[in-house]
Amino acid sequence: MKKFLLLLVIAMLALAMVACAAPAEEEPVDDPAAAEGPAPDWTEYNNLIAEIKASTDFAAREALMHQAEDILMATGAICPIYYYNDIYMMRDGIEGFYATAYGTKYFMNATFGDATSLRINLASEPDRLDPALNSSVDGACLAANSFIGLYTYNANNELVPAAAESYEVSEDGLVWTFTLKEGLKFSDGSDLTVDDVVYSWKRAANPETAADYAYMFNGIVGYDTGDIAVANVDGKFQVTLAAPCAYFLDLCAFPTFFILQQENIEAAEGYMDESGAIIDAGAWATEAGFVSSGAYVLESWVHDESMVYVKNPYYYDADNVKLERLEFMLSADDTAIYAAYRAGDLDFIDTVPTDEIATLLSDPEFYIVDELGTYYVIFNVNSPLFEGMTVDQAAAMRLGLSALIDRQYIIDTVGQTGQQIATSFIPAGMLDGQGGVFKTNDADYTYPIGDGYFAEEPDVEAAIALLETAGFVFENGMLSADTPISFEYLTNETSGHIAIAECMQQDFAAIGIDMSIKSIDWDVFLQERKAGNFGIARNGWIADFNDPINMLEMWTTDSGNNDAQFGK
């Protein structure tokens, strides 16, 4: 019965796949596989996301988002493992610290008794400190503590004004006008004005900046021309949207929308060449000493070792910032990080070795908090691994591999308390934009299985059937040597990610599939995955705001977060 259900799911997914595939060639071809290729045509998906973004009918919008998720999951390129929760350890006596469901951690209102500094580990060397160019959770945490946007989140996960004092919205929901707080300044003491907000948003949306999150500005008029409709109107910051946006204030609190100083950015060595072309838009934030606008400013940075942030006296809420210094240890070695915490050398750590979790559950300094996100395996649809296959065969191979993974075993042996098997990419508790939960509040939509696309348990028979559809031969339940499957799995260097990879390696080996594991430094890993220099890799996405479009628009062809390389 289980096999039948999963095969039924695959059949339904295949129908969705056909719906978004490229039109067939009119002329006959000798090799249909070569003509079609393994990567899906992504035009319909791109158009569908644009339609969702422009929709003012929220019921119709939800139906379109279900359609988009169907298309995405039909490719098999996204293999969900579990829905996220977050763990960290924090010294008894630390107060005022808080984290959001989006993984961002705020230290600016923290206190630690009479201490004037806090010693922290969030991750290893950050990939980018320019808020407009960052796409990692640790980078977002650093940005949130050193820059400001128009809005931010408080300890109750509520949106509250930051640089903004107030705002007004036109009756049609299209024109937002913000009044800034008086006396705002950058960390060098210079004035922070409406013109700085205009510059920062236009810069982040400009294709020349090459921001991964530039697509988040596509709801603003003029995005398609490279000149978004934001302006200084009578000393106020005005934005004109193409369609009403229920989560617009969430965007105003997101790092890509943070406020930066033009002079500091454009005077940096390596920013542009002699012709005026931008070489590296983030060159200004590659060493300590750059101008910021938030609670802290980066004073020193020993690459791959440490960073020290010090209090910014010009921060608009500086009176409520009690800690003078945030001292960061840069490391991805969770054993060394945990040892440093136990030795008293760190006060806050964002990871622990997986084999310590069970014993830490009763430790009052160990925290498990909810997050809105999904841990998943990602396939590069342009990988040579799928060479010579049709779109459907490549999808069947990916779906077959996904069906072999024992997700519950991963959670039981590597994960932590409260993790839930993920059977779809959109997280279980994500809202639908209409006051309900996306997965359960649409009577007109039914997921193939339960609230997702995959059975919770592995199904070897169904997996083999799918792999046979992709052209592989099996004999007595084992992969034939005549049609081998061998690939490298890319991950970053932490024990938990490597342990998950080893679990999957074991699942694949059970039917003769050879998977090797390659682990590399965090910042290099991000660059390699983004560039498409992988076949299969670990991935994870923590929502930037509570709406399914955030999980869907990242896969458009022009998105800098489209690691699956759809349409590329």
Side-chain angles (χ1 to χ4, degrees):
M1 183 64 173
K2 183 169 62 176
K3 175 182 177 182
F4 170 78
L5 286 174
L6 185 53
L7 289 175
L8 178 61
V9 173
I10 302 309
M12 295 176 69
L13 292 175
L15 290 175
M17 188 70 255
V18 169
C20 69
E25 295 282 349
E26 294 184 4
E27 295 295 326
V29 293
D30 294 331
D31 185 357
E36 187 178 28
D41 183 274
W42 214 233
T43 304
E44 180 174 339
Y45 188 89
N46 292 332
N47 292 339
L48 185 57
I49 297 301
E51 184 179 357
I52 294 167
K53 299 276 287 188
S55 176
T56 58
D57 182 332
F58 289 105
R61 177 179 181 270
E62 181 175 1
L64 292 172
M65 289 193 291
H66 279 298
Q67 184 180 340
E69 190 182 22
D70 285 346
I71 293 173
L72 176 67
M73 300 309 292
T75 67
I78 313 300
C79 170
I81 303 297
Y82 58 78
Y83 298 124
Y84 268 120
N85 54 22
D86 191 17
I87 62 172
Y88 58 85
M89 295 195 75
M90 183 171 68
R91 294 285 178 208
D92 184 35
I94 295 177
E95 298 180 355
F97 162 83
Y98 62 95
T100 68
Y102 314 121
T104 308
K105 296 175 171 64
Y106 295 81
F107 297 98
M108 68 276 290
N109 297 124
T111 60
F112 188 20
D114 295 331
T116 59
S117 64
L118 201 63
R119 299 163 301 174
I120 302 165
N121 171 267
L122 292 179
S124 56
E125 179 82 357
D127 181 43
R128 286 286 193 175
L129 292 185
D130 182 335
L133 299 181
N134 171 71
S135 60
S136 67
V137 176
D138 58 296
C141 294
L142 295 172
N145 287 278
S146 55
F147 292 91
I148 58 171
L150 294 174
Y151 266 68
T152 188
Y153 293 95
N154 64 17
N156 296 318
N157 275 279
E158 299 166 335
L159 284 161
V160 293
E165 179 67 34
S166 61
Y167 69 90
E168 298 176 353
V169 185
S170 61
E171 288 187 11
D172 59 8
L174 299 181
V175 180
W176 292 64
T177 305
F178 294 86
T179 300
L180 299 193
K181 287 182 169 68
E182 293 185 3
L184 292 173
K185 292 184 180 296
F186 287 107
S187 61
D188 64 352
S190 62
D191 291 338
L192 187 160
T193 70
V194 170
D195 290 335
D196 296 305
V197 188
V198 172
Y199 167 77
S200 299
W201 284 37
K202 283 182 175 287
R203 170 184 180 263
N206 189 334
E208 291 185 2
T209 303
D212 289 342
Y213 277 108
Y215 61 86
M216 280 192 167
F217 293 87
N218 63 15
I220 300 176
V221 169
Y223 174 79
D224 55 344
T225 69
D227 186 20
I228 58 173
V230 296
N232 181 340
V233 178
D234 298 327
K236 297 182 179 183
F237 179 65
Q238 190 170 97
V239 186
T240 304
L241 303 180
C245 179
Y247 52 87
F248 184 66
L249 286 183
D250 292 272
L251 296 181
C252 293
F254 190 68
T256 309
F257 293 73
F258 283 178
I259 306 166
L260 310 177
Q261 189 191 66
Q262 181 175 3
E263 181 181 357
N264 186 224
I265 291 171
E266 297 184 358
E269 182 178 355
Y271 171 72
M272 64 172 55
D273 61 21
E274 294 180 357
S275 69
I278 295 176
I279 303 172
D280 180 3
W284 64 281
T286 55
E287 298 293 342
F290 54 81
V291 176
S292 59
S293 54
Y296 293 96
V297 60
L298 183 59
E299 180 185 64
S300 66
W301 185 359
V302 180
H303 290 282
D304 297 305
E305 183 178 317
S306 65
M307 306 172 78
V308 176
Y309 283 79
V310 297
K311 180 177 176 178
N312 172 16
Y314 296 105
Y315 174 52
Y316 74 90
D317 197 29
D319 289 346
N320 289 315
V321 178
K322 306 304 182 185
L323 292 170
E324 295 290 335
R325 294 163 62 89
L326 302 179
E327 302 174 5
F328 290 91
M329 168 187 176
L330 302 179
S331 174
D333 185 341
D334 45 20
T335 300
I337 294 165
Y338 182 64
Y341 183 86
R342 285 304 186 201
D345 297 326
L346 289 170
D347 306 311
F348 182 101
I349 60 175
D350 207 24
T351 184
V352 299
T354 56
D355 57 3
E356 296 286 351
I357 292 176
T359 60
L360 287 171
L361 294 176
S362 60
D363 190 324
E365 294 187 351
F366 180 71
Y367 295 81
I368 299 178
V369 297
D370 291 334
E371 281 188 324
L372 199 62
T374 304
Y375 188 102
Y376 60 101
V377 174
I378 188 166
F379 296 83
N380 178 353
V381 296
N382 294 322
S383 168
L385 183 63
F386 310 112
E387 188 174 351
M389 296 183 184
T390 65
V391 170
D392 291 338
Q393 286 176 323
M397 180 181 178
R398 295 187 288 262
L399 291 164
L401 292 173
S402 297
L404 291 169
I405 298 172
D406 190 336
R407 292 161 171 81
Q408 190 61 55
Y409 181 78
I410 288 174
I411 291 172
D412 292 343
T413 58
V414 183
Q416 57 252 12
T417 299
Q419 284 179 342
Q420 176 185 348
I421 290 175
T423 58
S424 63
F425 182 57
I426 293 178
M430 181 159 268
L431 302 181
D432 61 3
Q434 302 185 85
V437 174
F438 182 70
K439 289 186 175 298
T440 59
N441 197 41
D442 189 350
D444 296 326
Y445 180 83
T446 303
Y447 280 96
I449 294 181
D451 63 353
Y453 299 86
F454 298 97
E456 291 193 355
E457 299 178 2
D459 192 331
V460 175
E461 289 184 43
I464 289 175
L466 285 162
L467 291 169
E468 287 177 334
T469 298
F472 297 96
V473 177
F474 286 80
E475 300 169 352
N476 300 318
M478 293 297 292
L479 183 65
S480 170
D482 293 334
T483 57
I485 300 176
S486 179
F487 57 85
E488 179 182 83
Y489 182 85
L490 187 66
T491 184
N492 53 305
E493 297 176 328
T494 63
S495 63
H497 298 314
I498 294 172
I500 290 172
E502 289 171 344
C503 289
M504 293 190 296
Q505 186 181 51
Q506 177 179 306
D507 293 335
F508 297 147
I511 62 169
I513 296 173
D514 176 41
M515 181 185 104
S516 61
I517 301 170
K518 180 180 180 181
S519 61
I520 57 179
D521 290 341
W522 172 235
D523 54 338
V524 178
F525 172 69
L526 289 177
Q527 295 165 12
E528 289 293 278
R529 197 174 61 188
K530 197 172 301 296
N533 296 329
F534 72 97
I536 304 177
R538 87 97 186 158
N539 212 327
W541 188 261
I542 299 173
D544 303 312
F545 50 87
N546 198 345
D547 190 282
I549 191 62
N550 181 241
M551 310 293 289
L552 297 171
E553 65 179 339
M554 63 183 284
W555 302 111
T556 57
T557 299
D558 64 353
S559 165
N561 295 313
N562 174 15
D563 293 346
Q565 311 299 310
F566 291 124
K568 297 186 177 181

